[in-house]
Amino acid sequence: MNLGGVTSKSKILPLKQFVSTAGTFYQNLRNLLVIEEKPSDELTSFLDFEDTHLAKLKDHIEAEKARVEAGFKQIMKEFYKMCAEAQAEMLENLDRQYINLKSNYDYYRSKINRYYKSETSGKEDEDELILSESKIYEKINECDTIDDFEVLIKNILDDFEEHDGLKDETDKLVILKEAIKNLNQSIKE
């Protein structure tokens, strides 16, 4: 840009000289561009609708803003719902870890109590280990959750499986010790 012979890239002007040069530039520009006659109605008629057009645009913009806000509220609602579901699932999984470990300890304890006599075990412990049909129904009714029920059924099925593997009395002690050792190892893992 050339301002009265001064190239802006090659020279830095002091402020006073810059303002003087700019003032001269705009005065010359005004003399060149200003038309002395009144503008025609065709040129100014558009301005007559300024208030109407601005009001319509403002109404349209407000309606669009409301639509955008509603859309974002819906997105946030869905996102919150997804987060709440993910949180509930994570909390349930964490609770399930505790239940699983507790069940593993109970299972391990029951196997030790079933196959090893202790000074503290008595007739009640034997009754707990050898289940009648009524005792099985009682244990089913004591289940608070589906996980408790699954553990009970798993334990009964494990008892079936262990019994089938213990038909030969000579290997009973070796098999039991190995099973308890394996169970102990799997709980530690």
Side-chain angles (χ1 to χ4, degrees):
M1 178 177 194
N2 191 336
L3 300 176
V6 178
T7 305
S8 63
K9 291 183 181 179
S10 64
K11 277 190 178 179
I12 297 178
L13 298 175
L15 183 59
K16 187 174 183 177
Q17 188 179 354
F18 173 76
V19 171
S20 174
T21 305
T24 304
F25 167 77
Y26 285 115
Q27 187 59 40
N28 292 336
L29 185 63
R30 179 169 173 73
N31 292 337
L32 289 174
L33 296 179
V34 174
I35 302 172
E36 295 295 328
E37 56 190 63
K38 184 180 174 190
S40 70
D41 287 341
E42 289 177 7
L43 292 176
T44 59
S45 64
F46 175 74
L47 297 174
D48 294 339
F49 299 103
E50 177 180 7
D51 292 338
T52 305
H53 291 156
L54 287 175
K56 284 182 180 179
L57 180 60
K58 185 176 183 178
D59 291 345
H60 177 74
I61 288 172
E62 290 303 318
E64 286 300 304
K65 284 168 58 176
R67 201 171 66 85
V68 167
E69 188 175 338
F72 271 95
K73 280 183 181 178
Q74 183 64 30
I75 289 169
M76 289 187 295
K77 182 179 175 183
E78 290 296 321
F79 182 72
Y80 177 78
K81 181 180 172 186
M82 288 173 26
C83 288
E85 288 171 357
Q87 178 189 25
E89 184 179 332
M90 292 172 112
L91 293 175
E92 183 179 327
N93 287 338
L94 290 170
D95 287 340
R96 193 173 291 130
Q97 289 177 13
Y98 173 82
I99 291 168
N100 286 342
L101 183 60
K102 185 179 180 315
S103 296
N104 286 339
Y105 273 106
D106 290 345
Y107 178 74
Y108 183 68
R109 184 179 297 103
S110 73
K111 293 304 172 188
I112 290 175
N113 290 341
R114 178 176 303 250
Y115 297 110
Y116 290 94
K117 290 251 183 210
S118 70
E119 287 114 28
T120 60
S121 65
K123 175 96 173 94
E124 304 85 32
D125 292 333
E126 281 184 29
D127 289 343
E128 189 68 25
L129 299 174
I130 308 300
L131 301 176
S132 65
E133 284 184 33
S134 63
K135 190 68 173 174
I136 292 171
Y137 283 121
E138 186 179 311
K139 286 200 165 283
I140 289 172
N141 290 330
E142 289 173 0
C143 293
D144 291 328
T145 66
I146 192 71
D147 291 331
D148 293 342
F149 180 71
E150 287 177 357
V151 167
L152 175 64
I153 298 302
K154 177 187 176 293
N155 289 345
I156 292 172
L157 293 175
D158 284 350
D159 289 345
F160 290 164
E161 189 176 311
E162 285 175 11
H163 182 266
D164 287 345
L166 297 176
K167 296 216 183 215
D168 184 7
E169 287 290 324
T170 58
D171 295 333
K172 180 179 180 181
L173 187 57
V174 173
I175 292 171
L176 285 175
K177 285 182 180 180
E178 188 63 31
I180 290 175
K181 181 180 169 186
N182 290 339
L183 181 59
N184 185 18
Q185 186 63 32
S186 67
I187 288 176
K188 287 180 182 178
E189 293 173 357

